[in-house]
Amino acid sequence: MSSRLIGVGVGPGDPELVTVKGVNALRTADVVVVPVMETGERGRAEATVLHYVPEDKVVRVVFALNERSDRGRREAAWDAAGARVAELLRTHATVAFATIGDPNVYSTFTYLAQTIEELAPGTAVETVPGITAMQDLAARSGAVLTEGTEPLTLVPVTAGAAVLKDALSGPGTVVAYKFGRLAEEVAAALRETGRLDDAVWGSALGLPEESISPASDLDGTPLPYLSTLIAPAQRHGKRGGKL
């Protein structure tokens, strides 16, 4: 029988936002892998997992989570992490991999799964969806993500502030992920497209250091890397006007 690798979305940080299915997957897995940076500090995924499973069930695997420029170094880290997880799959029937947010939305799990397909062919790969940062920020701030026929655009600002500006020039709500290091450029894009007034940003959602503020408060100061922005669609009509 082939082993199973399950990517489990554990939400943006608040342990109460892990789904029942996610908790069950973590608890029934033989081991739970959590990604850590080379510096070794405990990340959000690990902190969340430890609310539900004992520490001796958790395996910490190093990923180059903050490597953006050196592709060779990044891929070497992926290969090493994949080899470690493949080793676990040879001795365990079910290995869970915990990832913040959702495993199919800008997740490290995607690269791990591709590596495992090569190193451990025949492994059954599954995912358990998780609550995303944009959903959590919308709930905590009162921002409505979509109404009626409005589109929703999700942009990683690591692709460049110009990509965000293009999205803001279109219709519908725009969500920006990972914009902390480009906060000044993001604020400028919001002003230039007339989308500043209703926009809101947040970081460390559900954690003691949580911060949620209007985007109009952005002053160019760098923010936490994983900051999230919501620029709601411009709505001027009556209730249900976009149905």
Side-chain angles (χ1 to χ4, degrees):
M1 181 179 296
S2 65
S3 294
R4 296 164 65 219
L5 174 64
I6 307 176
V8 182
V10 296
D14 183 346
E16 291 186 346
L17 292 181
V18 185
T19 67
V20 173
K21 186 170 185 176
V23 171
N24 288 338
L26 295 172
R27 287 178 171 169
T28 58
D30 298 304
V31 295
V32 178
V33 173
V34 295
V36 297
M37 294 192 294
E38 291 175 321
T39 48
E41 69 262 27
R42 179 171 291 168
R44 292 189 198 179
E46 182 178 6
T48 304
V49 165
L50 291 174
H51 281 266
Y52 297 105
V53 301
E55 191 167 1
D56 60 6
K57 187 175 178 176
V58 175
V59 176
R60 309 176 89 230
V61 175
V62 174
F63 283 78
L65 297 173
N66 58 347
E67 179 57 68
R68 301 295 165 195
S69 57
D70 189 335
R71 183 176 182 85
R73 178 175 173 272
R74 183 171 65 240
E75 293 196 352
W78 290 343
D79 290 342
R84 179 70 178 105
V85 173
E87 178 184 350
L88 292 170
L89 287 164
R90 286 192 286 271
T91 55
H92 298 88
T94 303
V95 174
F97 180 89
T99 178
I100 59 171
D102 182 276
N104 293 303
V105 180
Y106 300 129
S107 170
T108 305
F109 181 74
T110 301
Y111 313 121
L112 174 64
Q114 292 172 354
T115 306
I116 291 302
E117 288 178 359
E118 298 176 3
L119 298 180
T123 299
V125 178
E126 306 169 15
T127 58
V128 176
I131 292 173
T132 61
M134 63 178 167
Q135 292 170 287
D136 196 12
L137 178 56
R140 294 176 187 275
S141 68
V144 176
L145 286 171
T146 56
E147 288 185 4
T149 57
E150 294 170 354
L152 174 64
T153 303
L154 176 59
V155 177
V157 183
T158 48
V163 177
L164 174 62
K165 186 176 179 180
D166 286 345
L168 290 169
S169 298
T173 294
V174 176
V175 175
Y177 274 3
K178 306 176 183 180
F179 84 91
R181 295 172 185 168
L182 294 175
E184 186 172 4
E185 291 90 335
V186 167
L190 289 165
R191 283 192 296 270
E192 291 172 21
T193 56
R195 304 288 292 271
L196 182 64
D197 290 344
D198 296 328
V200 62
W201 72 272
S203 65
L205 301 173
L207 302 176
E209 63 271 27
E210 173 181 281
S211 179
I212 298 175
S213 300
S216 56
D217 290 348
L218 293 172
D219 58 6
T221 302
L223 304 175
Y225 172 68
L226 290 177
S227 296
T228 297
L229 173 95
I230 297 176
Q234 296 175 314
R235 303 175 182 121
H236 306 297
K238 295 181 179 181
R239 180 182 61 186
K242 293 187 178 181
L243 289 174

